[in-house]
Amino acid sequence: AQRVTQPEKLLSVFKGAPVELKCNYSYSGSPELFWYVQYSRQRLQLLLRHISRESIKGFTADLNKGETSFHLKKPFAQEEDSAMYYCALEDFNKFYFGSGTKLNVKP
Amino acid sequence: DTGVSQNPRHKITKRGQNVTFRCDPISEHNRLYWYRQTLGQGPEFLTYFQNEAQLEKSRLLSDRFSAERPKGSFSTLEIQRTEQGDSAMYLCASSFEGGNIQYFGAGTRLSVL
């Protein structure tokens, strides 16, 4: 069965500190993985997907098939990064989300 | 087109009543998804449509739940004989066929008393 695990419910860092939000998955095949973000009072939106191999708002995520991970990283957190972050996996047009990590960036 | 629209935003109902939610996707999108999200959890897949065809339903979707997309445009999700366990945020998302970027609505929050 497909599963996405985000082990941290809450991550608090100071502004300017590095951030890593963890995501592990279980999937028998080549996964398509995504990070979605939900800012306060806004709807869920795509942050980035692994296939694009791009950096969005300074965030990057690398797929590590050996460790079945897709951790989200940013070298210097900003206060506006405070939000809920969800890792998601696509399996034949169905999407499975992790339980989310709340990132709190303190001034 | 301002994105995916969901109505109502909030619904309070008594146990045993039927409720219906509506989702209007982005007009060019032919895929439409329904999710349920409970407190502290991520969205859980319920079902999805490609045009008017309902292609897959999750085992989470009991026979009290039914979804339709009659003309391949808007969709409705009906819950019959609501139970307190149905209280959740119901999210709709749409995408292009062959595309895997989902655009979410703001959701309908259901409270069953």
Side-chain angles (χ1 to χ4, degrees):
Chain A
Q2 308 82 358
R3 182 169 294 176
V4 178
T5 304
Q6 294 180 251
E8 301 141 329
K9 286 281 187 192
L10 173 66
L11 186 63
S12 286
V13 300
F14 285 102
K15 176 183 171 182
V19 166
E20 182 179 67
L21 290 88
K22 291 184 167 50
C23 172
N24 289 90
Y25 66 90
S26 61
Y27 185 71
S28 53
S30 292
E32 293 218 39
L33 289 153
F34 308 80
W35 278 97
Y36 278 79
V37 61
Q38 188 167 26
Y39 301 103
S40 180
R41 296 190 178 84
Q42 294 187 27
R43 59 190 65 188
L44 200 57
Q45 60 186 285
L46 178 72
L47 178 63
L48 56 79
R49 48 182 177 162
H50 93 272
I51 198 170
S52 300
R53 302 187 65 81
E54 57 195 345
S55 172
I56 304 292
K57 299 185 178 182
F59 284 97
T60 58
D62 291 319
L63 176 61
N64 185 324
K65 291 186 179 180
E67 295 183 358
T68 59
S69 69
F70 188 56
H71 303 328
L72 183 68
K73 300 177 184 179
K74 184 169 183 176
F76 307 104
Q78 302 299 313
E79 289 181 70
E80 55 265 30
D81 296 328
S82 295
M84 280 294 298
Y85 290 81
Y86 295 95
C87 183
L89 179 151
E90 180 194 357
D91 176 34
F92 291 101
N93 304 318
K94 300 185 298 296
F95 292 78
Y96 299 89
F97 287 79
S99 56
T101 298
K102 183 174 183 179
L103 175 63
N104 180 32
V105 182
K106 298 176 283 189
Chain B
D1 193 337
T2 56
V4 178
S5 176
Q6 291 190 245
N7 288 288
R9 292 295 307 277
H10 304 276
K11 179 71 177 178
I12 300 173
T13 192
K14 292 183 179 179
R15 190 175 51 188
Q17 298 294 304
N18 299 343
V19 294
T20 300
F21 311 140
R22 176 176 169 132
C23 172
D24 288 86
I26 293 172
S27 56
E28 307 86 51
H29 289 177
N30 53 6
R31 284 202 181 142
L32 186 149
Y33 294 76
W34 285 101
Y35 294 87
R36 181 173 64 192
Q37 186 175 23
T38 53
L39 197 61
Q41 299 299 317
E44 294 176 291
F45 170 81
L46 293 179
T47 188
Y48 90 97
F49 293 83
Q50 184 160 301
N51 300 311
E52 65 275 10
Q54 188 173 17
L55 294 189
E56 190 131 2
K57 295 196 297 184
S58 165
R59 284 172 290 179
L60 292 174
L61 211 64
S62 78
D63 52 11
R64 295 185 299 106
F65 287 69
S66 61
E68 294 183 341
R69 194 182 183 198
K71 296 182 181 178
S73 56
F74 73 91
S75 175
T76 57
L77 177 69
E78 181 183 16
I79 309 174
Q80 296 183 324
R81 305 181 303 281
T82 52
E83 302 172 356
Q84 286 185 324
D86 297 331
S87 295
M89 177 73 86
Y90 289 84
L91 294 169
C92 176
S94 69
S95 71
F96 289 107
E97 179 182 352
N100 55 15
I101 298 175
Q102 302 218 303
Y103 295 82
F104 281 84
T108 294
R109 182 171 295 284
L110 173 66
S111 297
V112 182
L113 305 178

